[in-house]
Amino acid sequence: MGGRGGGGSKEKRWWAVLIMLITSLALELRVQVSGAPQVPCYFIFGDSLADNGNNNHIVSLARADYKPYGIDFPEGPTGRFSNGKTNVDVIAELLGFDDYIPPYATASGGDILRGVNYASAAAGIREETGHHLGGRISFRGQVNNYKNTVSQVIDILGDEHSASNYLRKCIYSIALGSNDYLNNYFMPLLYSTDRQYTPHEFAAALIHDYSQQIKTLYDYGARKFVLTGVGPIGCSPSELAQHSADGNTCDEMINSANQMFNMKLKSLVDEFHGQMVDARFIYIDAYGIFRDIIQNASSYGFTVTNRGCCGSGKNNGQITCLPLQMPCMNRNKYAFWDAYHPTEAANIIIAKRSYRARYLSDAYPFGIEKLANI
Ligand SMILES: *[C@@H]1O[C@H](CO)[C@@H](O)[C@H](O)[C@H]1NC(C)=O
């Protein structure tokens, strides 16, 4: 073997270099083609609008792990409260993730490095919110679960310094508050908050609790925050069924309470920038985007905005979508899938406008795409 002389081994070395070059070029290309995500991880805090399976493991009436939920989702029913993708699924796609963010309930091992979805249906900012529906993971519970994830990230990456260096690049999306209105403040037979607080005081109390959790997330490494406001709950088929004589006119008392919360949430962006100077916050005007969808339905391809695609009773909003119930056929023409939740078609519009604002008012001071690339 040694008898082949120096010339042969030199040639071999050249081949080795060439192969290395080709391999690294191929790797580079593969990364570019599959498109590495714009951020290493995406952490999601929320309610049924974002839940993708956490409540499947909880004793609760707020579950969606049965047909026809997921009828347009490749895996069928997963616990998502829609016919297909949720808003956060679409945002994960836009951010360049090639898989959806796993639910906390089943995320394990290295999965968590892409981020975790902690959202739980019926959950609110307040602890008692949604209790009549059974188990749920409140905002505080979700933040506690996140702390547990952080210690796993530290284990995987080796030390706290590497973990915080990693986590500060990630996006933290928070969309909570709907249930504090739907399944608390505007449910006076079961909850007493409407006797304790005026709508302004209630919004302030929610924002106070919310801020505490944001500060905890910051203490545990979060630096890029998306604060999403609540939608016009007074326009949901459920509230239309209960409060709208013509079944079409939104309940503006509920909507104005929702807007008080949203205004205070938006002003947290500036307040937090003053307190946590190395963090970035953005606010998403889900309320305005959804009102636009309802008011200008035809320009978005919708023909029905006041009824659930699946459900029964007035506005298909008195009884929500039941197991094995037959939903509407033309799901892309409906803004609402059931009594409370948007269809995939509406979720896609909300997600795209959260990612890249269509109107200046959609996102303050800018959308998720820019936050990702800061
Ligand atoms: C509906 O569309 C019109 C025209 O684009 C716009 O001026 C209006 O603000 C939209 N409605 C809502 C609620 O956004």
Side-chain angles (χ1 to χ4, degrees), residues 135-337:
R136 72 246 168 254
I137 309 164
S138 68
F139 192 13
R140 189 200 295 165
Q142 294 180 32
V143 170
N144 280 335
N145 288 341
Y146 169 70
K147 290 184 190 172
N148 183 29
T149 302
V150 172
S151 60
Q152 291 174 256
V153 171
I154 294 170
D155 284 347
I156 295 173
L157 298 182
D159 58 72
E160 272 187 39
H161 180 76
S162 316
S164 67
N165 216 18
Y166 186 79
L167 295 173
R168 74 182 165 79
K169 299 182 201 127
C170 304
I171 290 200
Y172 291 73
S173 157
I174 300 109
L176 279 149
S178 298
N179 286 313
D180 297 289
Y181 288 98
L182 209 48
N183 290 309
N184 188 334
Y185 196 74
F186 287 108
M187 207 169 260
L189 295 178
L190 296 176
Y191 299 86
S192 59
T193 44
D194 81 316
R195 269 91 77 199
Q196 294 169 272
Y197 302 101
T198 65
H200 264 296
E201 288 165 355
F202 188 63
L206 291 179
I207 292 293
H208 173 267
D209 294 353
Y210 192 101
S211 304
Q212 301 295 319
Q213 301 309 328
I214 296 292
K215 281 171 189 153
T216 305
L217 291 176
Y218 177 86
D219 289 340
Y220 282 79
R223 291 297 180 271
K224 293 183 175 192
F225 294 87
V226 181
L227 314 181
T228 303
V230 300
I233 291 165
C235 302
S236 64
S238 167
E239 297 299 342
L240 290 175
Q242 294 173 61
H243 306 291
S244 178
D246 65 0
N248 207 25
T249 311
C250 302
D251 183 324
E252 296 305 340
M253 195 173 71
I254 298 178
N255 284 347
S256 89
N258 299 154
Q259 282 173 287
M260 289 172 197
F261 172 78
N262 287 339
M263 274 174 53
K264 291 181 199 292
L265 187 62
K266 186 179 177 188
S267 59
L268 279 187
V269 168
D270 295 321
E271 198 182 311
F272 284 159
H273 280 152
Q275 294 169 8
M276 296 169 255
V277 291
D278 60 341
R280 297 297 307 190
F281 294 84
I282 65 169
Y283 166 77
I284 302 295
D285 182 21
Y287 184 100
I289 298 171
F290 213 83
R291 281 230 97 152
D292 182 25
I293 291 176
I294 292 171
Q295 200 170 92
N296 297 307
S298 62
S299 65
Y300 293 101
F302 295 112
T303 54
V304 185
T305 59
N306 66 336
R307 296 170 60 78
C309 163
C310 185
S312 36
K314 193 180 167 195
N315 293 75
N316 276 357
Q318 280 174 313
I319 299 170
T320 198
C321 187
L322 294 171
L324 301 177
Q325 190 176 345
M326 182 75 89
C328 68
M329 293 304 293
N330 42 352
R331 295 180 281 279
N332 289 334
K333 302 242 175 282
Y334 278 67
F336 283 98
W337 159 248

